[in-house]
């Protein structure tokens, strides 16, 4: 019997221009904006790492070098020797994983970004994590999806969550037959449908486990919504051929690509930390009083 490949590769697209966060993104990649004192990208990489990922492929574009710099460790240790305990967690992760950067030369969409990672992924199943979606979960969301992938004959899986009908136009939406509570065999996907045309309220918040046949499908995928090559369209190809599952993961997801979601994520993560919890609680109470 052929040995199954353990899932160890993740693709993290970071080429997005960050227009929703202008003007700060004129000079700073949106992935480097902080949640308390760690950049968003660290939460994403940490999720991958705690899910068993060993190799991360960043698909980047102009001006994104701070992301690569962030995962340096030796130089930091010399420079910040006195404060090294504050860097420990980041450095432990950076040491344990290999990061590779690949360029997306033009902004042709998420599907195109994933296709750019093909030479580094080679012929293995891989995870995709989108940086706008920060998911606080235990086990990590990507780990939950890998477990579903392994338990179902290594069939591709997307993480889904239920969203209000009026929010469907912000997401890739899936519909299908429920095999077990929370696990669906997907038959249809639509990128950003209007509330009137949506086939369901199950949205994909940026977590995928994909088999490498998706690359051949992406090669043939034409631009659609917004003139971009959409990953969601290629996933329809997977659903029609090797199959696709959707799994309702457990955990809290924050839309860190949106101003209000970003502020919420900051408050929630500050409330989880011993060094900031009490101060932030007092602050929230004070603000609530001030605004009545
Ligand atoms: C992308 C995907 C969409 C997915 C979303 C999750 O859209 O195209 O299918 O639901 O990420 O955040 P974007 O938000 O980049 O427009």
């Amino acid at each position: 019997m052929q040995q199954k490949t353990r899932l160890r590769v993740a693709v993290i697209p970071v080429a997005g221009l960050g227009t929703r966060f202008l003007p700060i993104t004129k000079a700073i990649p949106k992935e480097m904006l902080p949640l308390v004192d760690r950049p968003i990208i660290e939460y994403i990489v940490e999720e991958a790492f705690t899910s068993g990922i060993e190799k991360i492929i960043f698909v980047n574009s102009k001006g994104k070098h701070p992301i690569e710099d962030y995962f340096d460790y030796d130089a930091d240790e010399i420079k910040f020797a006195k404060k090294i305990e504050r860097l420990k967690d980041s450095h432990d992760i950076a040491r344990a994983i290999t990061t590779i950067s690949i360029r997306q030369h033009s902004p042709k969409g998420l599907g195109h970004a994933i296709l750019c990672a093909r030479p580094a992924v080679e012929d293995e199943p891989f995870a995709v994590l989108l940086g706008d979606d920060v998911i606080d979960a235990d086990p990590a969301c990507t780990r939950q999806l890998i477990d579903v992938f392994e338990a179902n004959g290594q069939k591709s899986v997307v993480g889904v969550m239920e969203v209000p009908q009026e929010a469907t136009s912000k997401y890739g939406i899936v519909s299908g037959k429920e095999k077990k509570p929370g696990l669906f065999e997907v038959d249809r996907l639509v990128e950003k449908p209007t509330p009137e045309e949506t086939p369901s309220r199950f949205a994909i918040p940026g977590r995928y486990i994909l088999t490498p046949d998706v690359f051949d499908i992406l090669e043939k995928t034409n631009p659609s919504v917004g003139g971009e090559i959409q990953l969601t369209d290629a996933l329809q190809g997977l659903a029609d051929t090797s199959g696709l599952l959707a799994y309702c993961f457990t955990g809290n997801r924050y839309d860190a690509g949106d101003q209000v979601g970003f502020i919420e994520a900051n408050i929630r993560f500050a409330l989880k930390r011993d060094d900031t919890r009490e101060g932030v609680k007092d602050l929230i109470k004070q603000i609530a009083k001030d605004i009545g």
Side-chain angles (χ1 to χ4, degrees), residues 20 110 130 132-133 170-172 191-192 204-206 208 230 232 253:
R20 280 198 285 171
L110 177 60
L130 304 188
D132 285 347
D133 305 281
K170 294 203 287 186
Y171 302 97
E191 178 68 6
K192 304 196 172 85
I204 310 175
Y208 315 77
Q230 296 293 347
T232 305
R253 177 260 183 181

Side-chain angles (χ1 to χ4, degrees), residues 135-176:
I135 300 177
D136 184 20
D138 186 15
C141 177
T142 295
R143 183 69 246 167
Q144 295 179 39
L145 300 184
I146 295 173
D147 289 343
V148 171
F149 173 77
E150 298 296 356
N152 290 275
Q154 296 205 329
K155 200 183 269 191
S156 299
V157 193
V158 293
V160 290
M161 61 181 192
E162 265 190 280
V163 297
Q165 189 92 9
E166 63 275 14
T168 56
S169 59
K170 294 203 287 186
Y171 302 97
I173 301 287
V174 307
S175 68

Side-chain angles (χ1 to χ4, degrees), residues 23-234:
I24 183 76
T25 44
K26 285 202 298 177
I28 294 171
K30 63 177 175 175
E31 296 80 7
M32 292 304 294
L33 297 178
L35 297 179
V36 190
D37 51 14
R38 295 175 185 269
I40 291 171
I41 192 68
E42 183 169 326
Y43 292 78
I44 309 296
V45 167
E46 187 174 32
E47 177 186 329
F49 171 67
T50 55
S51 301
I53 298 294
E54 294 163 7
K55 177 167 117 177
I56 289 182
I57 300 154
F58 292 123
V59 182
N60 67 13
S61 63
K62 194 174 171 194
K64 299 287 182 150
H65 61 88
I67 296 172
E68 285 168 45
D69 296 348
Y70 186 77
F71 291 99
D72 281 348
Y73 44 87
D74 279 351
D76 287 354
E77 292 207 336
I78 294 160
K79 206 160 132 200
F80 304 121
K82 284 198 186 124
K83 290 275 180 202
I84 200 66
E85 70 290 351
R86 292 184 60 82
L87 297 167
K88 192 176 174 305
D89 292 349
S90 315
H91 284 188
D92 285 351
I93 295 173
R95 275 200 185 87
I97 51 168
T98 302
T99 58
I100 296 175
S101 297
I102 273 200
R103 202 77 164 179
Q104 182 183 23
H105 292 279
S106 51
K108 291 187 187 161
L110 177 60
H112 178 255
I114 301 303
L115 188 54
C116 291
R118 184 175 200 168
V121 173
E122 298 175 15
D123 203 24
E124 286 187 36
F126 60 101
V128 175
L129 295 88
L130 304 188
D132 285 347
D133 305 281
V134 179
I135 300 177
D136 184 20
D138 186 15
C141 177
T142 295
R143 183 69 246 167
Q144 295 179 39
L145 300 184
I146 295 173
D147 289 343
V148 171
F149 173 77
E150 298 296 356
N152 290 275
Q154 296 205 329
K155 200 183 269 191
S156 299
V157 193
V158 293
V160 290
M161 61 181 192
E162 265 190 280
V163 297
Q165 189 92 9
E166 63 275 14
T168 56
S169 59
K170 294 203 287 186
Y171 302 97
I173 301 287
V174 307
S175 68
K177 235 183 269 115
E178 196 161 12
K179 280 169 56 130
K180 284 185 198 164
L183 182 65
F184 298 81
E185 189 78 52
V186 176
D187 52 35
R188 201 164 157 229
L189 297 105
V190 188
E191 178 68 6
K192 304 196 172 85
T194 63
E196 294 72 39
E197 69 189 6
T198 191
S200 85
R201 291 194 293 111
F202 288 105
I204 310 175
R207 294 295 183 276
Y208 315 77
I209 307 295
L210 302 176
T211 46
D213 49 327
V214 74
F215 290 127
D216 284 341
I217 301 171
L218 277 168
E219 295 269 12
K220 294 183 215 120
T221 302
N222 292 317
S224 65
V225 179
E228 296 186 342
I229 298 174
Q230 296 293 347
L231 180 59
T232 305
D233 294 341

Side-chain angles (χ1 to χ4, degrees), residues 36-37 269-281:
V36 190
D37 51 14
F269 282 107
L271 288 172
K272 284 190 73 171
R273 276 173 49 159
D274 292 344
D275 59 340
T276 44
R277 184 181 308 111
E278 292 310 317
V280 172
K281 261 192 200 170

